[in-house]
Amino acid sequence: MREHRHWMEYALKEAQRAFELGEVPVGAVIVYKDTIIAKGYNQVEMLKDATAHAEMIALSAAYNYFKSWRLEGCTIYVTLEPCPMCAGAIVLSRIDKIVFGAYDFKAGACGSVYNIAEDGNLNHKVEVVGGIMADEAQSLLKAFFNGLREK
């Protein structure tokens, strides 16, 4: 668990960047052999792109790192449980493990609402670990949405 917390701290830093830019504060990092090879934060509003989730940004950076779409041996750390789009992209990328912070009981696709990551009908299953530093991730999300409501 200590290792997961270590890497999740980096994902939380990415989420903080999103928060400061007015984006929904979700951050992600991809780790390969004890090294961060890719990172991302939500950029949906900045890029005017509904697919610009933290995970998608990080996946693109990892593809560039490996010069391949196959990310075997990698773990993605993300502050919020991935949605169906992101979970599907992670499965297709052949990532070994998803570690996430806060659960998403409205759109989570790694166990909360759906479980795309571990669906045995797909050609790859991703190990899922949820709830790592969930309080910290949830606090950032609550602060963001409370700020929107105040406006």
Side-chain angles (χ1 to χ4, degrees):
M1 284 302 178
R2 191 173 5 185
E3 177 185 1
H4 291 328
R5 289 181 62 84
H6 171 76
W7 297 118
M8 189 60 73
E9 287 176 5
Y10 287 96
L12 284 164
K13 287 178 185 175
E14 293 299 308
Q16 182 65 42
R17 289 181 70 190
F19 181 91
E20 291 166 2
L21 293 167
E23 296 279 353
V24 175
V26 178
V29 297
I30 298 177
V31 176
Y32 179 72
K33 294 186 178 179
D34 292 323
T35 302
I36 294 174
I37 60 154
K39 56 189 178 178
Y41 55 89
N42 274 5
Q43 298 179 44
V44 172
E45 298 301 330
M46 264 190 313
L47 298 177
K48 307 294 185 238
D49 180 351
T51 69
H53 290 192
E55 300 95 320
M56 302 300 280
I57 303 293
L59 287 170
S60 291
Y63 303 146
N64 287 332
Y65 176 86
F66 283 114
K67 308 241 183 303
S68 173
W69 59 270
R70 293 181 172 270
L71 302 179
E72 288 109 340
C74 292
T75 299
I76 187 167
Y77 290 84
V78 60
T79 58
L80 180 64
E81 180 181 2
C83 71
M85 173 186 68
C86 293
I90 290 166
V91 168
L92 291 172
S93 298
R94 310 298 195 272
I95 281 184
D96 292 353
K97 187 184 297 185
I98 298 167
V99 180
F100 68 84
Y103 286 85
D104 184 348
F105 296 107
K106 290 185 178 179
C110 295
S112 291
V113 179
Y114 309 102
N115 197 347
I116 292 170
E118 296 177 314
D119 188 328
N121 293 312
L122 301 175
N123 62 349
H124 179 71
K125 287 170 76 173
V126 181
E127 180 183 346
V128 175
V129 177
I132 303 299
M133 299 185 76
D135 291 341
E136 293 86 339
Q138 192 65 45
S139 291
L140 199 52
L141 288 161
K142 282 183 182 178
F144 176 78
F145 287 111
N146 285 341
L148 282 183
R149 285 184 201 98
E150 289 173 7
K151 290 180 182 179

